[in-house]
Amino acid sequence: MIAGYPSEKLAESAGTGSTFSRHRRFLFTLVSFIITGTLFLRPCINYTTIDTSSNIVSTELCPKTAPLSPSFNTSIEHILKNATYKQESINRLSQAVQIPTEVQDTNPDPRDDPGFYSQFIKFHQFLDETFPLVKSHLQKDKVNEFGLLYTWKGTNESLKPVLLMAHQDVVPVNKESVDQWTFPPFSGHYDPETDLLWGRGSNDCKNLLIAEFEAIEKLLEDGFVPERTVLVSLGFDEESSGVWGASHLAPFIQEKYGDDSILIIIDEGGGIIQADKDLFIAPVVNAEKGYVDVTIDVNGRGGHSSIPPDHTTIGIAADLITLIESSAFPSDFQLDNPIYGTLTCIAEHSVSLPSSIKKVILNAGVDEKYRNELTKYVSNDKALRDLIRTTQAIDIIHGGVKANALPESTSFLINHRVDFHSSVRDTVLEDVKRAKQIAKKHGYGLLFEDKYIIEPTELGYIEVSYTKSLEPAPTSPSSGPVWDVLSGTIQDVFVNAFVTNKEHHEKELYVTTGVFSGNTDTRYYWSLTDHIYRFVGSLFDESSLKTVHSTNENIPMSSHLSAITFIYEFIVNVNESKELS
């Protein structure tokens, strides 16, 4: 059960008694997925009038997409249901996981220290040996030593290419927690009883990378010849912001093809999730929050600790940290926010959610009263509030070197994820405002962008600086021919992979859009296309998602097979569609 805003108040004002409180657990089933990095969802919102007889809006807000089945579908059934193919796929993904392509927060220039990246050399050899048709039919370019760009040249060069992405690197395994793993972190162990494949990178994101290669290898084996060029771009330091990988790959592609030259980009992101007994949602992440690291340095005077000032630089920093943590960024719940799409999709199609709660959610788009009530709830719920505001996390602090010496300086870092209705500049200026308040309070100066807002005093000064700034990503369209092909493919994969027998025939999938709280390598690719989507064609298992970047990372193999199917179908569909230019 999610703690947060007193839902009794929300229920009371909405005329629902304690219903909202009782059904909170069901309503926010998806929150655990949101916290792990995938924020859901915004369907195409169609504002309409309220049906006065039921007090619920009458126009469908989250419509069902028609499945788009490719005419070239030689191996779809084989990928999903052939036991031999599954075992071969297990072996491929397992071997990929066994190569520990770890990166740190800061990594050397690969041209200066290629030995640091020795595991990536092994991984490249593994790809060549495991996917011989890809090796022989696709052109491979190495970019900045270890970045890989594969080109499957199409027969019609006038058509914009499709770009598939993934990253080769994985986050490090904490050496102190290795004994907490059920199976060794780089074992690639497969457990047939649970259908889980274990290991670092199994779910972030060697699963997607291997699925892309498996799909292309199978298409080549089947004799498929693309009319539209397919590109596969693989960075090698996504987990440390893509400094050496994607930041070089994107310009390489841009120089070759030009701005707005790519039809669509697919990278890691959302997957298919179960929201109710027979209700599934596929969040295609089409936006990302921004990012900025703000560093605050408190510069004071040293001396002997036996003669201390009223506050050392550590004390001043502590006061500023207390102010920052007690004054969160304001909530900005607008109707185009993905969290509203999450709620409307569930409210519209769930058979378990009471009509009283549906009324609050579905009418929020057309009635200010309900919107305000829903806003209050989201703003005060700990699991949801960060979806509608800029976040702040004080992650690093340094100060002092000796017990009997006053610290001459203390610094700390604030990591912000910028709300997509805000900006890096607004975020940084809010920190400057807070620093100014503390500087005045304690008689310190304030320096920002090489200018003194407050002149330094005999006590010292506070300096505010920032790095790694990234504005919120442009929002990719959720309508039009490109979206239709993507969403139709997802719907068809769901039918093929998960609605397989009479028992499951009533299951329904709704394709929507979403936003990332974090950032993928797509941050460097914005100039190449307006259509950037972050999606893995897997059924997301809640327990597996909780292990991403943690101990016991794993993925259900059934979900991996559906991801292969998604890439296979998508490549064919973007080639067969007559609506795409």
Side-chain angles (χ1 to χ4, degrees):
M1 181 104 26
I2 300 167
Y5 179 72
S7 54
E8 296 81 4
K9 294 183 180 180
L10 175 58
E12 181 181 349
S13 60
T16 61
S18 60
T19 310
F20 221 124
S21 178
R22 291 199 307 270
H23 293 275
R24 244 195 316 189
R25 181 178 180 182
F26 167 77
L27 184 59
F28 297 107
T29 299
L30 309 187
V31 168
S32 60
F33 294 95
I34 292 170
I35 293 173
T36 60
T38 308
L39 307 188
F40 313 104
L41 312 156
R42 185 179 63 81
C44 302
I45 297 175
N46 180 15
Y47 296 108
T48 185
T49 56
I50 299 176
D51 182 342
T52 55
S53 62
S54 63
N55 288 326
I56 296 178
V57 291
S58 57
T59 300
E60 193 173 21
L61 301 178
C62 186
K64 185 177 180 180
T65 302
L68 181 62
S69 179
S71 60
F72 187 98
N73 56 11
T74 308
S75 290
I76 292 175
E77 187 85 1
H78 183 79
I79 293 170
L80 290 171
K81 298 179 181 179
N82 184 276
T84 300
Y85 183 84
K86 178 177 180 178
Q87 185 58 55
E88 293 170 346
S89 182
I90 290 169
N91 294 339
R92 287 186 286 262
L93 182 55
S94 174
Q95 290 174 48
V97 170
Q98 290 173 38
I99 304 173
T101 51
E102 295 174 294
V103 295
Q104 307 299 322
D105 284 340
T106 302
N107 307 287
D109 186 328
R111 293 165 295 185
D112 297 336
D113 188 5
F116 178 86
Y117 300 93
S118 60
Q119 293 297 331
F120 290 87
I121 297 175
K122 295 180 182 179
F123 189 69
H124 295 178
Q125 293 172 341
F126 158 76
L127 293 177
D128 287 344
E129 295 169 0
T130 306
F131 302 101
L133 295 180
V134 171
K135 180 183 178 182
S136 61
H137 287 77
L138 274 65
Q139 175 185 328
K140 180 173 71 174
D141 291 297
K142 289 189 176 182
V143 180
N144 200 25
E145 305 299 328
F146 299 105
L148 298 177
L149 177 65
Y150 289 83
T151 302
W152 192 7
K153 192 173 181 179
T155 59
N156 188 346
E157 294 187 10
S158 68
L159 297 176
K160 290 183 175 182
V162 170
L163 176 57
L164 306 176
M165 294 177 59
H167 59 86
Q168 308 167 56
D169 56 297
V170 300
V171 297
V173 173
N174 186 342
K175 301 299 187 290
E176 297 179 357
S177 64
V178 170
D179 60 351
Q180 298 176 21
W181 286 72
T182 303
F183 304 101
F186 292 106
S187 65
H189 178 83
Y190 174 70
D191 181 1
E193 292 187 7
T194 61
D195 194 40
L196 295 177
L197 191 144
W198 301 69
R200 173 64 80 236
S202 61
N203 212 349
D204 183 18
C205 75
K206 285 182 177 174
N207 54 317
L208 174 60
L209 189 156
I210 297 303
E212 291 171 349
F213 274 69
E214 288 181 299
I216 294 173
E217 186 81 5
K218 180 55 71 174
L219 283 166
L220 287 166
E221 182 182 313
D222 292 344
F224 180 76
V225 178
E227 184 178 8
R228 186 186 302 275
T229 293
V230 177
L231 305 174
V232 182
S233 183
L234 308 176
F236 59 95
D237 63 342
E238 190 274 346
E239 299 295 357
S240 56
S241 301
V243 174
W244 302 116
S247 68
H248 292 259
L249 281 159
F252 184 87
I253 298 170
Q254 195 275 340
E255 183 177 352
K256 186 174 183 179
Y257 294 96
D259 289 338
D260 193 29
S261 58
I262 303 299
L263 176 72
I264 182 174
I265 294 175
I266 303 291
D267 196 8
E268 61 176 330
I272 299 171
I273 55 179
Q274 186 169 5
D276 201 352
K277 179 178 180 294
D278 293 314
L279 173 62
F280 291 78
I281 297 173
V284 180
V285 178
N286 71 327
E288 293 181 333
K289 295 177 79 172
Y291 182 108
V292 64
D293 285 334
V294 175
T295 298
I296 296 181
D297 295 285
V298 182
N299 301 288
R301 301 287 182 264
H304 201 286
S305 61
S306 64
I307 314 174
D310 291 339
H311 302 282
T312 67
T313 58
I314 293 177
I316 301 297
D319 199 15
L320 180 50
I321 291 172
T322 299
L323 173 63
I324 291 169
E325 292 197 334
S326 62
S327 51
F329 280 74
S331 298
D332 184 17
F333 187 15
Q334 299 184 28
L335 291 177
D336 64 349
N337 190 296
I339 190 60
Y340 182 60
T342 308
L343 302 180
T344 55
C345 209
I346 296 174
E348 190 164 71
H349 299 293
S350 169
V351 297
S352 304
L353 198 64
S355 60
S356 54
I357 298 179
K358 291 186 178 185
K359 179 173 67 174
V360 175
I361 297 170
L362 297 178
N363 286 334
V366 293
D367 189 303
E368 187 174 358
K369 169 189 172 183
Y370 292 114
R371 178 187 174 186
N372 289 340
E373 296 300 337
L374 195 55
T375 299
K376 289 178 183 178
Y377 179 83
V378 175
S379 300
N380 289 279
D381 189 286
K382 291 183 179 180
L384 302 178
R385 63 191 181 186
D386 290 339
L387 307 184
I388 61 171
R389 68 179 184 181
T390 295
T391 61
Q392 54 191 25
I394 297 165
D395 293 329
I396 301 173
I397 187 167
H398 299 288
V401 295
K402 201 171 186 297
N404 63 350
L406 298 175
E408 294 178 349
S409 65
T410 298
S411 67
F412 61 93
L413 181 144
I414 316 166
N415 174 247
H416 292 289
R417 304 305 171 112
V418 183
D419 184 76
F420 45 85
H421 292 118
S422 184
S423 68
V424 168
R425 187 70 180 176
D426 288 346
T427 302
V428 174
L429 289 180
E430 181 64 24
D431 287 339
V432 172
K433 178 182 175 182
R434 296 159 169 175
K436 184 177 180 180
Q437 181 178 336
I438 296 300
K440 285 185 174 181
K441 176 181 177 181
H442 294 287
Y444 273 63
L446 179 62
L447 178 65
F448 176 61
E449 294 183 333
D450 297 323
K451 295 181 181 178
Y452 281 104
I453 297 174
I454 302 174
E455 289 297 320
T457 69
E458 62 178 11
L459 292 175
Y461 66 94
I462 300 172
E463 181 178 4
V464 180
S465 59
Y466 61 98
T467 57
K468 297 184 179 179
S469 61
L470 177 70
E471 297 296 343
T475 300
S476 295
S478 57
S479 61
V482 175
W483 171 262
D484 291 343
V485 171
L486 176 60
S487 58
T489 301
I490 296 169
Q491 187 71 249
D492 195 64
V493 170
F494 177 77
V495 171
N496 288 322
F498 303 112
V499 185
T500 57
N501 52 48
K502 185 176 181 181
E503 178 185 353
H504 296 146
H505 78 281
E506 294 182 351
K507 294 185 183 299
E508 299 282 351
L509 173 73
Y510 294 87
V511 182
T512 62
T513 62
V515 62
F516 253 173
S517 59
N519 303 100
T520 68
D521 272 345
T522 57
R523 72 182 76 185
Y524 299 104
Y525 293 74
W526 295 352
S527 66
L528 292 173
T529 181
D530 292 332
H531 296 88
I532 300 178
Y533 302 101
R534 305 150 189 91
F535 182 80
V536 180
S538 299
L539 178 62
F540 275 3
D541 176 82
E542 182 176 355
S543 60
S544 292
L545 277 178
K546 287 180 178 179
T547 65
V548 173
H549 286 203
S550 185
T551 57
N552 289 323
E553 183 176 347
N554 63 73
I555 187 172
M557 275 305 299
S558 59
S559 293
H560 180 64
L561 295 176
S562 70
I564 302 170
T565 307
F566 166 69
I567 298 297
Y568 186 104
E569 285 202 30
F570 181 71
I571 290 174
V572 177
N573 277 337
V574 294
N575 275 273
E576 292 185 343
S577 174
K578 303 303 180 184
E579 303 298 322
L580 303 177
S581 58

